[in-house]
Amino acid sequence: LGLAPGQIEIDGMPLYDFFSIAFGLFAYNKSTDGPVQVVFNTRKVFATTGFPQDLLEKMLESRARTVEEFREQLGKGKALTREEFGKELSRKPFLTDSLNIFRQRPFVRLDAQHILILDVQFLAELLTLGIYWGIHDNLSSNKRETFKELWGRMIELYAVNLLGQFYPRASGILSADLSYKDGQVDALLDFGSAVIIMEIKSSLLTEQAKRGGDKKQFLADFRRKFIENEKGKPKATKQLASSCRAVAAGEIKTATVPTSIYPVFVSDEPAVESAFFNAFFNEEFQKEGVNDERVRPITVMTIDELEQILQIGRAH
């Protein structure tokens, strides 16, 4: 891509500084030592760290707005009446437009020194999707596809490395980048009678597909991102089905003949955590014709959920 990490900027500041601020505020809000903290003093929040105050102010200049500024941006100059609000609610893009405003600017400036964190999820997205789109949008169009591929590979490497911390290679449980005749498995956990097959992909649904209220558009984008792309290249659903068949047939070697095969899809798309998404995904998976009773319904999770599950497993 011709990019050096030290040269990447978000909101006019080095990437590492942007990440440090967002993560610091996320940690401040998520503190387990006492009540959840949603308001911070810009002069005190990083006082003990020596972090440059001017960089924090630069980020907040871009990402924070006063209540009045939010009202103007959301209202788009229209009268603040119940009738106008009703008209806005009837527009399908209304929710998307409003959410994107809060996602891009998750802070409310209460006064010169006090900032309210609107929602910790919006803040977390600055660390993930915010950085992704910040880099993506500043690349020339001929480099964006390569960036998407590299980002996806990074997510895969991160997840496999994470699994390796819980299942060291010496244990013989974890295998990664397994190739077979019809494809490749990102990660496989072999527990003897039970085998978990994992596909790890960065595939973000478009905003319009997720929140536009158009079923046809959603299904088209879902199929392109999670089943097969425009060129017929298999994506997560088809890849997992193929891998399950390979394990069931013994083409992918396992410690013993498994009695249960669990397909798992890990994504950085937040929508996969939505109610009914897993059930819908499984309906599509069942259409792939994996006719073996040992293959269980597909499990879909975000990379964030994978982190949490592994930590819970360690605690127990």
Side-chain angles (χ1 to χ4, degrees):
L1 293 175
L3 289 176
Q7 297 175 344
I8 299 173
E9 291 190 347
I10 308 288
D11 291 354
M13 70 180 72
L15 171 63
Y16 295 139
D17 290 332
F18 177 88
F19 189 90
S20 297
I21 295 172
F23 184 79
L25 294 176
F26 177 81
Y28 172 86
N29 178 263
K30 296 287 282 186
S31 173
T32 56
D33 187 18
V36 174
Q37 303 175 94
V38 296
V39 175
F40 63 89
N41 187 312
T42 60
R43 296 291 176 181
K44 296 179 180 180
V45 67
F46 293 146
T48 59
T49 68
F51 190 86
Q53 184 67 24
D54 63 316
L55 290 180
L56 174 60
E57 294 294 346
K58 180 178 284 189
M59 179 189 185
L60 293 174
E61 182 180 345
S62 174
R63 301 287 177 170
R65 293 292 183 268
T66 65
V67 171
E68 185 58 35
E69 286 170 333
F70 271 122
R71 181 181 291 120
E72 290 177 4
Q73 193 169 5
L74 291 164
K76 298 178 180 178
K78 296 179 181 178
L80 300 178
T81 64
R82 179 169 183 157
E83 181 181 3
E84 286 298 329
F85 183 60
K87 291 179 182 178
E88 280 295 287
L89 287 176
S90 67
R91 290 194 313 113
K92 285 186 177 180
F94 169 71
L95 182 59
T96 301
D97 295 346
S98 301
L99 272 177
N100 283 339
I101 289 172
F102 292 127
R103 290 167 73 187
Q104 293 165 9
R105 299 178 177 85
F107 304 107
V108 177
R109 186 176 289 281
L110 303 177
D111 56 38
Q113 292 188 15
H114 293 89
I115 300 290
L116 168 69
I117 300 172
L118 277 172
D119 190 296
V120 72
Q121 181 61 37
F122 294 146
L123 183 52
E125 286 187 11
L126 286 184
L127 294 164
T128 52
L129 301 180
I131 289 177
Y132 175 91
W133 291 115
I135 297 173
H136 177 278
D137 292 348
N138 284 310
L139 288 172
S140 57
S141 58
N142 64 323
K143 292 183 177 181
R144 290 179 178 177
E145 193 59 37
T146 301
F147 171 70
K148 291 177 184 178
E149 293 172 2
L150 291 172
W151 182 275
R153 179 58 175 161
M154 182 185 70
I155 294 289
E156 181 184 326
L157 290 172
Y158 168 72
V160 170
N161 181 64
L162 185 67
L163 289 165
Q165 295 178 35
F166 294 84
Y167 305 102
R169 293 296 178 94
S171 69
I173 294 175
L174 172 65
S175 300
D177 291 328
L178 285 173
S179 296
Y180 62 98
K181 184 181 67 174
D182 295 324
Q184 177 257 355
V185 176
D186 291 339
L188 183 144
L189 296 173
D190 187 349
F191 297 104
S193 61
V195 170
I196 299 175
I197 302 171
M198 306 181 78
E199 277 296 323
I200 305 155
K201 292 286 182 288
S202 173
S203 297
L204 300 172
L205 292 166
T206 65
E207 283 296 303
Q208 198 58 34
K210 284 190 286 189
R211 300 187 176 94
D214 186 325
K215 181 179 179 181
K216 185 177 180 181
Q217 189 173 42
F218 167 77
L219 291 175
D221 200 45
F222 177 92
R223 183 171 185 81
R224 184 167 56 250
K225 302 295 173 56
F226 301 127
I227 299 179
E228 64 179 19
N229 66 15
E230 300 91 333
K231 299 179 181 179
K233 181 180 179 181
K235 306 296 282 187
T237 309
K238 286 184 176 291
Q239 288 173 310
L240 277 170
S242 175
S243 299
C244 286
R245 282 191 286 266
V247 170
E251 186 179 338
I252 295 177
K253 299 301 180 183
T254 54
T256 63
V257 177
T259 56
S260 298
I261 301 170
Y262 296 91
V264 175
F265 173 52
V266 180
S267 173
D268 59 344
E269 169 53 67
V272 305
E273 294 183 14
S274 304
F276 309 115
F277 198 100
N278 202 136
F280 175 72
F281 212 109
N282 185 59
E283 287 178 7
E284 296 301 309
F285 177 73
Q286 297 304 323
K287 295 176 183 178
E288 296 302 318
V290 184
N291 299 316
D292 192 305
E293 61 182 12
R294 293 175 295 171
V295 178
R296 305 306 187 194
I298 195 171
T299 296
V300 180
M301 67 179 72
T302 60
I303 189 74
D304 180 55
E305 288 177 316
L306 176 64
E307 292 170 336
Q308 294 179 46
I309 288 169
L310 289 172
Q311 291 290 351
I312 292 170
R314 172 178 282 177
H316 289 81

